[in-house]
Amino acid sequence: MTDILTHKQRSLLMGRIRGKNTQPELAVRRLIRGLGFRYRLHQIDLPGRPDIVLRAEKKIVFVNGCFWHRHHCSKAYTPKTRCQFWDAKFAATLRRDRLTLAKLRREGWGVLVAWECELDKPDVLMRRLARFLSRKTRKFNSRK
Ligand SMILES: [Zn+2]
């Protein structure tokens, strides 16, 4: 089969297998540690195998790449070729994300999604994390 993806597209595709220990994830972990919280990584017994799990607080932090998870920012551009292919990929990722979040929240977890681009302003993200982590998780909380 001839290679129909450009080099850039292919490397993006490889990178999508929810990268473990990616740069953004490491940076978010550093912030959380800096706030004095303890966490576990990649808990396979939870839906979506969350990046960062704080069992004591009953909180979960996902670190999402803006491109794959379609953040509303400039990093989530859409490749100009093979539109159908990308649309299908993105739709599948978003559907999976939605299901995962819904399942976790139903199980009583507080979930925060940290975006890759938020690391451009680490102090702002740190405050957001601090607010989230110190807030009590209400059981069966249906709020977003
Ligand atoms: Zn973004």
Side-chain angles (χ1 to χ4, degrees), residues 9-57:
Q9 288 172 344
R10 199 169 47 249
S11 65
L12 282 167
L13 195 57
M14 300 305 210
R16 86 171 265 276
I17 322 297
R18 199 182 240 300
K20 297 298 172 203
N21 307 318
T22 57
Q23 279 308 317
E25 193 187 315
L26 292 175
V28 170
R29 272 149 60 178
R30 226 172 5 251
L31 291 178
I32 292 175
R33 267 202 312 277
L35 290 166
F37 289 95
R38 304 195 142 262
Y39 52 81
R40 289 161 172 271
L41 301 174
H42 314 141
Q43 295 287 284
I44 53 175
D45 59 330
L46 289 173
R49 202 194 271 219
D51 300 333
I52 299 165
V53 178
L54 296 94
R55 295 229 175 231
E57 289 78 12

Side-chain angles (χ1 to χ4, degrees), residues 46-108:
L46 289 173
R49 202 194 271 219
D51 300 333
I52 299 165
V53 178
L54 296 94
R55 295 229 175 231
E57 289 78 12
K58 191 101 173 147
K59 297 276 168 75
I60 285 171
V61 178
F62 282 103
V63 184
N64 277 1
C66 296
F67 177 77
W68 280 108
H69 297 269
R70 308 316 284 162
H71 193 211
H72 300 292
C73 74
S74 60
K75 286 187 162 87
Y77 68 94
T78 303
K80 294 203 178 14
T81 56
R82 303 256 295 144
C83 296
Q84 282 187 322
F85 166 83
W86 290 108
D87 283 348
K89 284 273 172 226
F90 293 145
T93 302
L94 291 189
R95 194 175 55 236
R96 204 168 45 237
D97 286 353
R98 255 198 321 273
L99 284 173
T100 299
L101 254 62
K103 272 189 212 157
L104 289 168
R105 288 184 170 135
R106 219 176 304 131
E107 291 178 18

